[in-house]
Amino acid sequence: METVYLEFKKQLATVDSSTALENLKSQYLGRNGVLKKLKSNTDLKTSTTEEKRAFGLMFNELKSQIQLMVEEKQVILEQKPSSNPIDLTLPGIKKAPGRLHPISQVQDDLENICLSMGFKVLGGAEMETDYNNFASLNTPDDHPARDMQDTFWLNNGKLLRTQTSANQVQTLRRYGAPLRAVFPGKCFRYETTDATHENTFYQMEGLVVDENISIANLIAVMKEIISAVFKREVTVRLRPGYFPFVEPAFELDIQCLICHGQGCPGCKKAGWLELLPCGLIHPVVLKNGNIDGEKYTGFAFGLGLTRLAMMKFQIPDIRLFNSGDFRFLEQF
Ligand code: FA5
C-alpha cells in the first residue's frame, strides 16, 4: 500500500490542471482504479481475522488520504492565477457620468431664484379632476376657453392636467393668505407637435396673494425672475391676454434669443416667443380658494418652462427635449 501511496503522491505533484486531476482521481479511485485492483488482487482467504481487520483499516486510510489530497489539490488549482492574467497597463473603460436633463437644469435654476425671493416650491398631481383643471378656475363645462387647451381625457373621468394652474385653488385652500408659491411640473395637451409645441411640456405656475397686490408688483416679479434666469438683459413685451381665471390678463413675450427678433423656426418667424401669461387672480378663484377677496388680491403667472429652456440654450426645435437623443442631451 505504501508503494501505491508514494506513486500517487508523485503523480499528483505533476498535475497542473483540473482535467489532469480528474483523470488521476479516476485512475486511482475509479471503478477499475488502482485501489479497486489492490483490494481484489489481495488474497485474504488464508488470513486471520486480525490480519483482515488490519488490511481493511490500512486500505480505508489510504483511500481517505488520496481523497483528501485530491480535494486539497483542487483548491490550489482554483486559486492559481489564470494563464491569461489581467493586463493592468491597459487603459480603463471610460464611463459617461449621468447629467441633468436641460429642462431639469432650468427648473432647478427657477426654483432657486423663486426660493431666494421668498416663494414656497410645491408639487402637484399630473392626473387631475375637471374641477381643479377647469371648473374651479372660472372655466365651467360650457366655457369656450376650454377649447384653448385640447385635453387628454382618461377613462376614469379624470384628465392629464393641461396647465399647472390646476394647482391654484388647491394651494389657496391649503395655505391661505398671505401666500407666495410656485409649482413647476409637466403638462399635457392633445395637440399636433411642431417646433414650438409639444404634447408633453413643462410649466411653472406662480401665485402671490397678499394685501394691496397690484399689476406693478406682478410686472416687477416677472422681470426679476426672467433676468435672473437668463443672467442678462432680455427684451420683453407685455400685451393683453385672456384667461378666465385672471382679470386683467396679460401675455408676456420674450424677444427670440436665437434670432434676436429677426424671425427663425424657433419663434416661428415671429421674432417673439409667448412665454409668460399672467394676470391678477379673478375674484371667483379667490372665493373657490376660500380667500377673503375684500381683504386680499393677488397675481398668478404660468411660465412656459420648456420654451424658456429653448431660449436659454438656443434650441430651435422643442421636440429635441423629449427625443431621448444622446447626441443632443450630451451637450448639456
Ligand atoms: C396657460 O396654460 C395658463 N394656465 C397660464 C396662466 C397661468 C395664465 C396663470 C394666467 C395666470 P397657456 O396655454 O398660454 O396658458 O400656456 C402657458 C405657457 O405654456 C405658454 O406661454 C407656453 O410658453 C407654454 N405652452 C403652452 N402650450 C405649449 C405646448 N404645447 N408646448 C410647449 N409649451 C407650451
Side-chain angles (χ1 to χ4, degrees), residues 139-267:
T139 319
D141 235 1
D142 53 354
H143 199 293
R146 287 193 178 212
D147 292 345
M148 289 156 64
Q149 300 185 3
D150 293 324
T151 308
F152 286 108
W153 291 96
L154 304 174
N155 289 339
N156 60 6
K158 293 189 173 181
L159 52 89
L160 293 181
R161 70 172 172 199
T162 59
Q163 49 184 350
T164 42
S165 304
N167 258 47
Q168 282 194 13
V169 166
Q170 300 177 77
T171 306
L172 291 173
R173 285 188 187 172
R174 179 150 184 216
Y175 294 97
L179 174 72
R180 250 182 277 182
V182 287
F183 17 102
K186 248 186 229 165
C187 299
F188 309 85
R189 290 193 196 172
Y190 183 48
E191 58 180 71
T192 315
T193 60
D194 60 26
T196 56
H197 290 84
E198 252 298 0
N199 47 35
T200 303
F201 57 97
Y202 282 76
Q203 290 185 342
M204 185 182 80
E205 193 83 3
L207 267 189
V208 172
V209 180
D210 211 329
E211 292 177 45
N212 304 318
I213 291 290
S214 69
I215 294 172
N217 300 120
L218 162 66
I219 294 172
V221 170
M222 301 296 94
K223 272 191 163 170
E224 184 65 35
I225 294 178
I226 289 180
S227 54
V229 84
F230 286 105
K231 298 188 179 73
R232 63 176 146 143
E233 216 29 63
V234 287
T235 313
V236 295
R237 73 177 183 192
L238 199 65
R239 58 191 169 88
Y242 174 73
F243 297 93
F245 39 93
V246 282
E247 181 60 42
F250 305 99
E251 289 281 2
L252 189 142
D253 302 335
I254 175 173
Q255 191 177 69
C256 181
L257 296 176
I258 303 171
C259 63
H260 304 287
Q262 298 305 305
C264 70
C267 58

Side-chain angles (χ1 to χ4, degrees), residues 43-155:
D43 186 3
L44 295 172
K45 275 183 205 143
T46 55
S47 306
T48 62
T49 316
E50 223 21 67
E51 284 168 341
K52 284 182 188 164
R53 214 173 139 253
F55 176 83
L57 284 173
M58 281 172 70
F59 181 86
N60 287 342
E61 177 62 24
L62 175 65
K63 193 174 169 188
S64 21
Q65 273 297 323
I66 288 176
Q67 278 169 337
L68 189 69
M69 286 159 83
V70 167
E71 280 164 21
E72 283 172 357
K73 186 76 181 189
Q74 186 64 52
V75 173
I76 292 167
L77 288 174
E78 278 165 11
Q79 286 170 350
K80 206 174 119 193
S82 93
S83 54
N84 192 10
I86 299 164
D87 182 353
L88 297 176
T89 62
L90 282 175
I93 299 165
K94 203 172 168 196
K95 290 211 170 121
R99 60 193 80 205
L100 282 181
H101 191 281
I103 304 266
S104 306
Q105 293 181 23
V106 172
Q107 184 175 334
D108 281 358
D109 263 8
L110 280 167
E111 287 182 9
N112 288 332
I113 292 164
C114 293
L115 281 169
S116 75
M117 293 167 72
F119 283 82
K120 283 185 191 11
V121 177
L122 306 172
E126 288 170 1
M127 182 173 72
E128 268 297 357
T129 57
D130 177 300
Y131 180 77
N132 286 334
N133 197 81
F134 289 123
S136 68
L137 296 168
N138 199 26
T139 319
D141 235 1
D142 53 354
H143 199 293
R146 287 193 178 212
D147 292 345
M148 289 156 64
Q149 300 185 3
D150 293 324
T151 308
F152 286 108
W153 291 96
L154 304 174
N155 289 339

